[in-house]
Amino acid sequence: MKKNLVVLASGSGSNLQALIDATISGKLDANITGFIASKPGIGAISRAEKAGIPSCVINRTSFETENEFANSLLTAFRDLRADYIILAGYLIKIPVNVIQKWESRIINIHPSLLPDYGGKGFYGLNVHRAVIRDKQKFSGCTVHIVNEEFDKGPILAQRSVPVLENDTPESLAARVLEQEHILLPQTIQQLIKKTFP
Ligand code: GRF
């Protein structure tokens, strides 16, 4: 039986696209049964719709309490018959009770070599700015299991890239993103097939 993935994102959705493409090519043997956007109008929604994936918006700001937000996520995960939840550029904190109920089944991709450049404030170009400021020779991306500690869950896999002398945060982000598109589908495939090296 194929596993069901539910993907959450907040941006352009190029990582979502990499997952869609991998399911079509057969590199990822799974069904994406749903897409959840953190806000309306983001590029990822059009990518999901184009691929025929049911999508919805669950916007944290439209709930009065964290608990109502959590319940809405939990209901969606159940209705979409999710086996795994994939955070593919999702910028909202997942409520702790959702993480506990879905222990070891929520996966995140982060654009740095964790544990470096993770945690509060390290998202988007901020990550790459800090890497360049610190004159690091390498950066990369990490796929990890989400636990209660932000960006600190068990690491499943990483890919690295060189940081070049004339890099800008944007050029480094683009080099890392290329690797994210390889790493995310590959790691999920290994996870669902239990074929980690
Ligand atoms: C990626 O760098 C991802 O690692 C980060 O946000 C970016 C999302 O890009 N968390 P996209 O929306 O998948 O294009």
Side-chain angles (χ1 to χ4, degrees), residues 65-143:
T65 66
E66 173 105 330
N67 207 31
E68 287 172 37
F69 174 53
N71 285 337
S72 173
L73 290 174
L74 289 170
T75 303
F77 296 170
R78 189 198 59 211
D79 291 350
L80 295 165
R81 297 188 310 282
D83 293 305
Y84 288 94
I85 307 303
I86 315 299
L87 309 183
Y90 184 71
L91 296 178
I92 308 297
K93 209 160 176 285
I94 299 285
V96 171
N97 65 325
V98 175
I99 295 173
Q100 286 167 345
K101 288 207 170 88
W102 281 78
E103 195 191 348
S104 300
R105 291 178 296 155
I106 305 180
I107 311 301
N108 182 46
I109 182 147
H110 184 81
S112 78
L113 295 173
L114 291 174
D116 295 340
Y117 304 101
K120 203 168 160 33
F122 285 118
Y123 60 88
L125 287 178
N126 290 349
V127 174
H128 308 294
R129 267 188 213 109
V131 168
I132 291 171
R133 177 200 63 208
D134 294 348
K135 301 194 183 341
Q136 298 290 353
K137 294 263 177 293
F138 291 93
S139 189
C141 50
T142 302
V143 173

Side-chain angles (χ1 to χ4, degrees), residues 11-16 88-89 109-111 177 180:
S12 83
S14 69
N15 276 297
L16 167 66
I109 182 147
H110 184 81
L177 193 60
E180 293 181 41

Side-chain angles (χ1 to χ4, degrees), residues 4 10 24 59-60 66-67 120 145 166 168 173:
N4 292 338
S10 303
I24 292 170
N59 191 338
R60 171 67 187 90
E66 173 105 330
N67 207 31
K120 203 168 160 33
I145 293 172
N166 55 357
T168 60

